[in-house]
Amino acid sequence: QVQLVESGGGSVQAGGSLRLSCAASGRTFSTSTMGWFRQAPGKEREFVAANSWRGSITSYSDSVKGRFTISRDNAKNTVYLQMNSLKPEDTAVYSCAAAAPLFSGTLESMYAYAYWGQGTQVTVSS
């Protein structure tokens, strides 16, 4: 069983930055594809970014590409989401997710992920 705990959310003005962290328990982090998703009130959960366990393979949604950066530190069992140039439409609960070890498939699909964190709120004011 993998447990994921997010931190780093908060309130920020438009144009500001936040860095989210997701700490994972367990011994399979280095072989787990990690993703970030978000859900705004009244909307469906949507893909934000993912980092494959294979290393340099990353994926971003069009809405965050060029502004957000996903990274991981396998020594700390932690994945990060650096969010710059934040916009009010980025306001949502952000959740990290982990796929089963050695997963190879579509990084952007929520159905690829077996484990989910509780989420952290990000609020961007105009």
Side-chain angles (χ1 to χ4, degrees):
Q1 187 74 8
V2 175
Q3 292 186 325
L4 304 172
V5 179
E6 302 96 337
S7 61
S11 297
V12 65
Q13 289 192 327
S17 298
L18 285 173
R19 188 177 81 154
L20 305 183
S21 300
C22 174
S25 66
R27 304 176 66 177
T28 60
F29 182 82
S30 63
T31 57
S32 296
T33 289
M34 301 297 296
W36 286 96
F37 290 77
R38 67 186 182 186
Q39 187 167 20
K43 295 187 177 181
E44 294 185 352
R45 180 179 288 174
E46 65 172 352
F47 169 77
V48 176
N51 175 255
S52 170
W53 67 272
R54 297 177 184 271
S56 60
I57 299 174
T58 59
S59 178
Y60 297 93
S61 68
D62 288 341
S63 62
V64 308
K65 197 172 296 183
R67 300 187 297 122
F68 291 11
T69 303
I70 188 171
S71 62
R72 64 194 296 158
D73 185 336
N74 288 339
K76 296 182 178 180
N77 277 17
T78 301
V79 63
Y80 305 97
L81 185 68
Q82 177 66 44
M83 306 185 295
N84 298 329
S85 302
L86 283 161
K87 305 175 181 180
E89 51 263 43
D90 294 319
T91 295
V93 174
Y94 285 70
S95 299
C96 72
L102 305 179
F103 168 82
S104 61
T106 304
L107 302 182
E108 299 82 5
S109 172
M110 68 177 72
Y111 302 106
Y113 297 88
Y115 307 99
W116 292 83
Q118 293 297 312
T120 184
Q121 176 70 45
V122 171
T123 302
V124 185
S125 59
S126 57

